[in-house]
Amino acid sequence: MKIVLAKSSTQDIKTKGYVVFVSEEQKKAKLEGKSAAEKAIAQKLTKYEGLAKGKNKVTVFRALDLHGVENLIVIGIGKEEDFSAETVRQALAEAHRALASEKIEKAHIDMRTLENFKLDTESLGQAAAEGLVLASYTFDELKGHSDKKAKASKKEAHYELMTNGKDKALERGLKQGQIIAEATNFARRLGDMPANLMTPSILAQEAKNIAKGTDLKVTVWDKARIKKERMESFLGVNLGSHEEAKFIIMEYRGAAASKKPLCYVGKGLTFDCGGISIKPAAGMEEMKYDMCGGASVIGTMGALARLKAKVNVIAYIPATENLIGPEANKPGDVRIARNGISIEVNNTDAEGRLILADALVYASEQKPKWICTAATLTGAIVVALGNIHTGYFTRSRELAKEVETAAEQSEELIWRMPLTDFHAEDMKGTYADLSNLANSRGAGSATAAAFLEQFVDKSVPFAHFDIAGTAWNAGNRFNYFPKKGATGAIIRTFIQMALNEQ
Ligand code: BES
Ligand code: ZN
Ligand code: ZN
């Protein structure tokens, strides 16, 4: 998508689509009426009584000839007192959706009609770009293989934004928003790809792809190296699969070497059939999304490098399938993690924690400032929070504050969940140090978090985000979410956390 600022001019413009925004309190669009077209638009909106001004309501005036403006699209933004960056994100998402359904690829969007509400210009630009780019995500590359022509004729949207001349701050915001949203769309695509086309090797290649042209360094460990690094808990999950496990390492240095790195770890389970503790057939195809935590971490790294964030960041994505080959983990098998902790695999379907365990040990050894994991870890979090909030777990008051601040800025919905010694107690093993299955009933997401915590150095603050409910099919609650498919959950918050560390 191309988003550019229109050259300021008092002349009429020739355009197929012109977008303006109106609040419920406004009698007409906030146009200054410098050109004949603007005067005509303002007049039209004043005269038209049926104009829908409620939040995300759309009115389209087609086939006009308003001094060069062919179609006028009016987006309602609701009550002015409720105005926030989220209003802008949704309003611009609605604008893109309306333009796309009118098949208008080139359009003008009047940002002046969104100014002078209580939002600084940079945030306005960021939310606007996020709304446009996030709403533009589609996943249809696997459709219409025989019709290459139709595919090639699909044009990239090109939007010119009309502004008041406070362009520097707006441009900064737009650029930041576009980078963040493009990284989110990148991650969504990885999630939506079927498992045969998104294997651990392909996921690793995608991490290299997003690093191209940036200062990101990507290293991929193969099975032999993973073995040499004593990541037996991770490798055990890979044994039932023909596809080789990969350990993806991403590094970005944007600050002095003396500054501790931030660390993200993502679950890169490219398909989870459950292993010998096999999942039911109904809905199993959804387990291609079990690498969404990894995809979100890859997207986060890609965005931070493009934003040239002044922080040091490292990321680890253990990637494997969880299948049923002759060598697969059997219930009761014991594996020793990199830190020497022995684990009884009492349910082969609780594999996310097994692959993250070794990654967390390795991450801790790098002495990061903190570690955040993103994982589609438990069905229990879906029971607890549905697909509205991402549940997160941390024992660190300071890190919780950082998380909350970042999520308030990103406007992603998160909810803090409990994590205590009681949960850790429930993960003790009978024959080994730990069991991957809680020996208690309920609180399955908290016991999973307590298991992960055993592999993090006590001196490193740790937060775990269970995105099993929010990583896909999140109910189209936001108009910039796909109706079905991967959402790119927690990327915007992860990026914001790192930006706040600058
Ligand atoms: N990938 C699943 C978690 C999951 C379930 C994500 C449903 C999204 C929707 C994970 O590997 C898993 O199977 N967890 C088990 C753990 C249990 C056996 C302790 C679960 O949640 O049932
Ligand atoms: Zn599983
Ligand atoms: Zn899983």
Side-chain angles (χ1 to χ4, degrees):
M1 179 178 291
K2 282 221 167 63
I3 305 173
V4 298
L5 298 189
K7 298 226 162 50
S8 67
S9 153
T10 54
Q11 302 294 308
D12 288 340
I13 43 157
K14 245 190 101 51
T15 187
K16 266 191 91 177
Y18 195 97
V19 179
V20 298
F21 303 91
V22 288
S23 71
E24 283 183 18
E25 291 86 343
Q26 274 166 233
K27 296 283 175 273
K28 55 175 186 149
K30 294 202 297 182
L31 291 175
E32 292 182 3
K34 279 186 189 150
S35 66
E38 286 172 17
K39 278 187 193 132
I41 291 170
Q43 220 176 36
K44 185 156 193 72
L45 298 182
T46 316
K47 266 205 278 176
Y48 188 72
E49 284 179 0
L51 200 64
K53 299 170 185 171
K55 204 171 176 201
N56 299 339
K57 292 280 181 280
V58 183
T59 313
V60 183
F61 298 91
R62 295 188 185 86
L64 302 169
D65 188 16
L66 288 180
H67 305 271
V69 173
E70 222 177 292
N71 302 286
L72 175 64
I73 290 142
V74 187
I75 311 279
I77 57 169
K79 290 202 169 57
E80 287 181 17
E81 61 175 11
D82 300 333
F83 190 89
S84 72
E86 184 59 26
T87 314
V88 176
R89 202 174 286 116
Q90 293 189 19
L92 274 285
E94 212 52 55
H96 173 80
R97 283 157 58 124
L99 289 165
S101 80
E102 296 294 321
K103 302 210 167 15
I104 301 174
E105 283 123 10
K106 267 189 100 163
H108 287 74
I109 301 176
D110 201 319
M111 293 300 288
R112 297 167 299 184
T113 57
L114 281 175
E115 276 180 3
N116 303 325
F117 296 116
K118 43 182 194 297
L119 186 67
D120 65 279
T121 312
E122 191 170 334
S123 307
L124 173 69
Q126 181 177 338
E130 285 180 6
L132 289 171
V133 176
L134 288 174
S136 76
Y137 177 76
T138 53
F139 182 71
D140 49 16
E141 66 191 85
L142 303 178
K143 280 185 180 158
H145 261 268
S146 48
D147 195 0
K148 292 224 168 73
K149 247 198 209 151
K151 276 195 141 176
S153 71
K154 231 179 125 185
K155 286 203 197 83
E156 192 187 14
H158 185 294
Y159 298 139
E160 283 194 38
L161 308 192
M162 320 291 290
T163 71
N164 260 336
K166 277 195 249 162
D167 292 354
K168 277 252 154 60
L170 190 74
E171 255 184 321
R172 236 183 299 130
L174 284 169
K175 196 171 162 221
Q176 174 149 332
Q178 183 153 13
I179 288 173
I180 294 171
E182 280 172 357
T184 309
N185 289 350
F186 182 92
R188 287 170 169 180
R189 179 182 165 275
L190 303 188
D192 283 334
M193 271 292 183
N196 65 320
L197 302 176
M198 192 47 60
T199 60
S201 309
I202 300 173
L203 188 65
Q205 183 55 47
E206 291 291 354
K208 287 181 182 167
N209 291 349
I210 203 172
K212 275 184 197 141
T214 76
D215 293 335
L216 263 179
K217 193 176 141 209
V218 179
T219 313
V220 179
W221 289 355
D222 61 7
K223 197 168 173 176
R225 179 67 189 268
I226 297 167
K227 199 169 206 158
K228 208 167 140 204
E229 297 287 344
R230 306 183 320 281
M231 296 182 163
E232 204 191 309
S233 178
F234 171 26
L235 268 185
V237 175
N238 183 241
L239 289 177
S241 164
H242 177 69
E243 289 288 341
E244 187 173 327
K246 301 284 175 191
F247 190 69
I248 307 166
I249 300 172
M250 301 177 84
E251 295 165 273
Y252 169 74
R253 313 241 157 236
S258 58
K259 246 186 128 185
K260 279 189 170 183
L262 314 173
C263 178
Y264 298 105
V265 177
K267 173 176 173 183
L269 215 295
T270 60
F271 190 78
D272 180 13
C273 86
I276 305 270
S277 317
I278 197 165
K279 286 182 183 297
M284 201 202 272
E285 72 285 354
E286 293 200 327
M287 283 300 126
K288 68 172 180 176
Y289 291 114
D290 214 15
M291 34 56 71
C292 282
S296 288
V297 167
I298 294 172
T300 298
M301 294 301 282
L304 288 174
R306 280 175 178 73
L307 291 168
K308 300 200 185 315
K310 294 185 181 61
V311 281
N312 296 327
V313 197
I314 46 179
Y316 304 104
I317 301 109
T320 176
E321 297 180 328
N322 184 27
L323 293 182
I324 323 176
E327 292 176 65
N329 269 335
K330 299 169 289 298
D333 282 1
V334 173
R335 305 268 171 206
I336 318 271
R338 180 178 166 90
N339 61 350
I341 291 183
S342 59
I343 307 164
E344 245 168 85
V345 182
N346 285 320
N347 188 316
T348 63
D349 196 11
E351 84 301 332
R353 59 198 78 181
L354 296 174
I355 71 169
L356 291 169
D358 283 323
L360 287 168
V361 174
Y362 187 74
S364 295
E365 290 165 13
Q366 316 311 312
K367 308 224 169 308
K369 179 162 185 214
W370 44 247
I371 300 175
C372 283
T373 52
T376 47
L377 204 64
T378 64
I381 200 75
V382 193
V383 177
L385 298 174
N387 51 23
I388 304 174
H389 292 78
T390 290
Y392 80 97
F393 303 79
T394 183
R395 296 226 204 193
S396 160
R397 198 171 285 180
E398 289 74 40
L399 188 51
K401 254 193 225 147
E402 282 193 44
V403 168
E404 293 289 338
T405 305
E408 265 167 40
Q409 291 167 283
S410 73
E411 296 179 283
E412 280 193 285
L413 300 177
I414 60 163
W415 200 259
R416 188 171 177 185
M417 303 287 288
L419 172 54
T420 70
D421 288 345
F422 295 112
H423 301 109
E425 190 62 35
D426 290 344
M427 297 310 290
K428 292 246 164 79
T430 311
Y431 305 102
D433 301 330
L434 292 178
S435 167
N436 76 333
L437 187 64
N439 42 49
S440 58
R441 268 165 54 90
S445 306
T447 47
F451 179 93
L452 294 184
E453 195 190 41
Q454 306 305 310
F455 300 89
V456 180
D457 193 294
K458 292 250 173 325
S459 65
V460 182
F462 169 62
H464 157 61
F465 294 73
D466 195 334
I467 59 170
T470 50
W472 76 95
N473 292 6
N476 198 24
R477 282 202 171 72
F478 299 100
N479 60 354
Y480 46 83
F481 271 18
K483 280 205 181 71
K484 268 188 91 124
T487 58
I490 219 64
I491 296 193
R492 289 191 284 134
T493 306
F494 272 13
I495 295 170
Q496 193 62 51
M497 282 184 77
L499 294 178
N500 292 350
E501 290 276 358
Q502 293 185 108

